[in-house]
Amino acid sequence: MLAKPRGYCAGVDRAVQTVEEALKLYGAPVYVRKQIVHNKHVVSTLEARGAIFVEENFEVPEGSTVVFSAHGVAPEVHDQARERNLKAIDATCPLVTKVHHEAKRFAAEDYDILLIGHEGHEEVIGTAGEAPEHIQLVDGPDDVENVVVRDPAKVVWLSQTTLSVDETMETVARLKTRLPLLQSPPSDDICYATSNRQHVIKEIAPECDVVIVVGSTNSSNSVRLVEVALGAGARAGHLVDYASEIQDEWLTGATTVGVSSGASVPDELVMEVLAHLAERGFGEVTEFTTAEERLTFSLPQELRRDMKAAGKAS
């Protein structure tokens, strides 16, 4: 059973395309701060084309071009880039940018902001950096008891965009038992792609002896897909970067295998998994669709401006 939607979301597509177009326009090397998206194959492919991935701006030679990843960055990262005279192209997913704007707005109104997310994740670091004195991290339901606020009537929750929908709602429910006046974000912070991929995996998981999710271990939304599959009734679930990582014993005794992929995974990797499974007797594929995704995002304005000046875009 092949899940749809799966794979690339609009934000990932935009971020990867940003690096590809920057390489064409400016030539190699183009520096990228952090992994552009959390996928091993995408990163190695872009490295082969001339992208150089760094952890921080100080590793980028002064005056060079740097692309900021889809996960977003704190304001201080933009400041550092200006100090080093870097040409910065911000490939932050617009849905992450929306959460940044919410954080700034609520901080300006002097709210305590409870940011539900995973400690150390790049997206959380970037969002928290918008208003560190107002934001405290809530890392799942069990972290709720550690929350301390100044005014229980002036609290709002926001979230990382790639979380488990169910776990986030459980965290919010627990927060509301402690803080009945807790406000919600103006619109859902968990992105459409994360929600859609979790929804379809929930639908097929009860039918599956094993679910294989294609994605990298540092991809939050990919890891969540395995958790959601197991929670929804799959007998087993595994995360793989490549078809070659699938172990034959996972398939022993199985009659139905579910396949999906995280939002930063190119579909060619899924097709390789299907071919691998077909060689082992799982040749009949049923695609199970719960939503059609048509959202696209335009490239970052800094890049579009330069492409236009070079006559490479309308």
Side-chain angles (χ1 to χ4, degrees):
M1 298 186 79
L2 178 62
K4 184 181 177 182
R6 64 179 179 275
Y8 269 17
C9 62
V12 164
D13 197 29
R14 173 184 187 261
V16 174
Q17 199 182 341
T18 294
V19 179
E20 291 171 344
E21 292 296 338
L23 284 164
K24 285 185 211 167
L25 189 61
Y26 310 121
V30 166
Y31 292 85
V32 184
R33 184 186 177 276
K34 308 290 187 183
Q35 290 190 359
I36 186 68
V37 297
H38 286 156
N39 184 263
K40 192 187 290 186
H41 178 77
V42 170
V43 169
S44 61
T45 301
L46 291 172
E47 278 179 331
R49 294 184 188 178
I52 297 177
F53 291 87
V54 299
E55 284 299 301
E56 298 297 345
N57 283 337
F58 67 79
E59 300 171 64
V60 182
E62 290 207 19
S64 299
T65 298
V66 64
V67 178
F68 296 148
S69 81
H71 308 103
V73 296
E76 65 183 12
V77 175
H78 288 279
D79 295 340
Q80 293 163 0
R82 280 189 287 271
E83 287 166 12
R84 292 186 62 75
N85 193 31
L86 302 179
K87 180 181 187 59
I89 298 170
D90 190 353
T92 301
C93 172
L95 299 177
V96 174
T97 301
K98 175 183 80 76
V99 182
H100 281 232
H101 288 325
E102 290 169 354
K104 285 189 281 192
R105 178 162 73 81
F106 284 111
E109 295 171 13
D110 202 30
Y111 275 76
D112 279 348
I113 300 166
L114 306 180
L115 178 60
I116 301 171
H118 295 301
E119 187 165 5
H121 191 279
E122 284 157 43
E123 184 186 326
V124 163
I125 293 168
T127 302
E130 293 287 359
E133 67 285 359
H134 286 269
I135 293 176
Q136 59 184 299
L137 181 65
V138 183
D139 195 341
D142 294 339
D143 201 20
V144 168
E145 62 195 43
N146 300 317
V147 169
V148 179
V149 299
R150 295 169 299 159
D151 180 356
K154 209 164 185 186
V155 190
V156 65
W157 69 271
L158 303 176
S159 84
Q160 183 180 330
T161 62
T162 55
L163 299 178
S164 157
V165 176
D166 291 344
E167 185 179 302
T168 301
M169 289 303 104
E170 184 188 340
T171 304
V172 171
R174 287 203 200 178
L175 285 169
K176 284 187 172 173
T177 61
R178 289 197 55 201
L179 302 162
L181 299 177
L182 178 71
Q183 293 189 37
S184 299
S187 60
D188 199 348
D189 285 347
I190 294 178
C191 87
Y192 76 96
T194 298
S195 301
N196 286 348
R197 280 149 192 70
Q198 289 177 19
H199 178 66
V200 66
I201 213 81
K202 270 188 191 175
E203 291 288 318
I204 67 172
E207 310 293 321
C208 297
D209 299 299
V210 58
V211 169
I212 293 171
V213 174
V214 186
S216 294
T217 53
N218 64 335
S219 165
S220 175
N221 78 89
S222 300
V223 172
R224 300 290 86 72
L225 281 177
V226 178
E227 294 172 356
V228 169
L230 293 170
R235 262 71 83 199
H238 301 280
L239 184 67
V240 299
D241 268 297
Y242 299 102
S244 58
E245 296 171 15
I246 297 171
Q247 297 176 27
D248 284 344
E249 55 261 36
W250 296 349
L251 307 174
T252 303
T255 56
T256 304
V257 179
V259 177
S260 186
S261 58
S264 46
V265 177
D267 215 41
E268 66 195 82
L269 299 182
V270 177
M271 295 304 114
E272 289 170 9
V273 165
L274 294 181
H276 180 96
L277 291 171
E279 289 170 3
R280 284 153 182 80
F282 297 90
E284 184 185 331
V285 179
T286 301
E287 190 168 57
F288 192 94
T289 305
T290 55
E292 294 291 340
E293 293 180 348
R294 296 186 177 87
L295 185 65
T296 57
F297 295 128
S298 57
L299 292 169
Q301 59 181 7
E302 312 93 338
L303 182 60
R304 278 186 285 133
R305 190 171 53 236
D306 287 356
M307 290 170 71
K308 189 173 182 179
K312 296 189 178 181
S314 56

